[in-house]
Amino acid sequence: CPRCPGRFLHPIPRDPCRSPQAPHCEHAFCNACITQWFSQQQTCPVDRSVVTVAHLRPVPRIMRNMLSKLQITCDNAVFGCTAVVRLDNLMAHLNDCEHNPKRPVTCEQGCGLEMPKDELPNHNCIKHLRSVVQQQQTRIAELEKTSAEHKHQLAEQ
């Protein structure tokens, strides 16, 4: 999960509506992270009690409602974002956050390629355009071959 590097759970699940909870110990987890955890072992990552995917239940509605109102810093704070948003608005903010290194941007140096913002500094328009030209030449050669085969078939008929 991109929001919890090196960990398998969030102290506060980022998506309370989709966050599962272990029924006996009542620990709540990030859905993606607990699924990854269960691929390695069938225990609660917090207290190591035996838990399987079948045991997990949705967190109670009161907990979802309380969590959704929490104010939380943007995940892109390390990249300079100073926004503090409600947890239930976090995903919408992350999609539009100008500090998101994976936000799609368009190259303005000439080629117009859309790429993640963090790849733009290493982008080379000439290299990209050569690749596009090579792909087009390969496709043209394939189409010419198919056309020649069709002409041959027509001539035979």
Side-chain angles (χ1 to χ4, degrees):
C1 176
R3 289 184 297 277
C4 56
R7 299 182 306 200
F8 285 100
L9 63 146
H10 301 292
I12 299 169
R14 295 294 177 121
D15 188 357
C17 293
R18 293 184 40 218
S19 298
Q21 180 181 39
H24 302 299
C25 59
E26 298 184 352
H27 292 121
F29 311 100
C30 166
N31 192 41
C33 295
I34 196 63
T35 301
Q36 180 182 352
W37 177 268
F38 283 154
S39 71
Q40 299 168 5
Q41 50 196 316
Q42 302 289 299
T43 61
C44 170
V46 178
D47 64 16
R48 305 290 191 228
S49 61
V50 175
V51 181
T52 64
V53 174
H55 291 123
L56 297 176
R57 299 287 176 255
V59 294
R61 183 172 40 168
I62 191 167
M63 183 178 177
R64 288 194 310 264
N65 291 343
M66 290 170 57
L67 288 173
S68 69
K69 292 180 175 108
L70 287 175
Q71 296 288 318
I72 190 163
T73 58
C74 174
D75 292 352
N76 298 314
V78 295
F79 302 111
C81 184
T82 58
V84 177
V85 296
R86 280 179 44 151
L87 183 59
D88 58 354
N89 294 329
L90 180 63
M91 295 310 288
H93 169 77
L94 289 174
N95 289 335
D96 298 331
C97 180
E98 67 182 80
H99 298 280
N100 179 355
K102 296 300 179 190
R103 182 173 56 93
V105 294
T106 302
C107 173
E108 296 176 358
Q109 300 300 315
C111 72
L113 177 68
E114 188 174 281
M115 70 193 83
K117 182 180 175 183
D118 62 347
E119 293 178 15
L120 192 57
N122 297 324
H123 170 64
N124 181 327
C125 291
I126 294 172
K127 203 176 200 181
H128 168 70
L129 292 173
R130 281 186 181 155
S131 169
V132 169
V133 168
Q134 181 60 44
Q135 289 172 358
Q136 289 176 341
Q137 287 175 338
T138 302
R139 182 69 179 135
I140 289 170
E142 291 170 357
L143 290 171
E144 286 174 344
K145 181 180 176 186
T146 302
S147 175
E149 289 171 358
H150 289 162
K151 286 179 183 176
H152 179 69
Q153 288 173 354
L154 281 172
E156 285 181 352
Q157 290 178 352

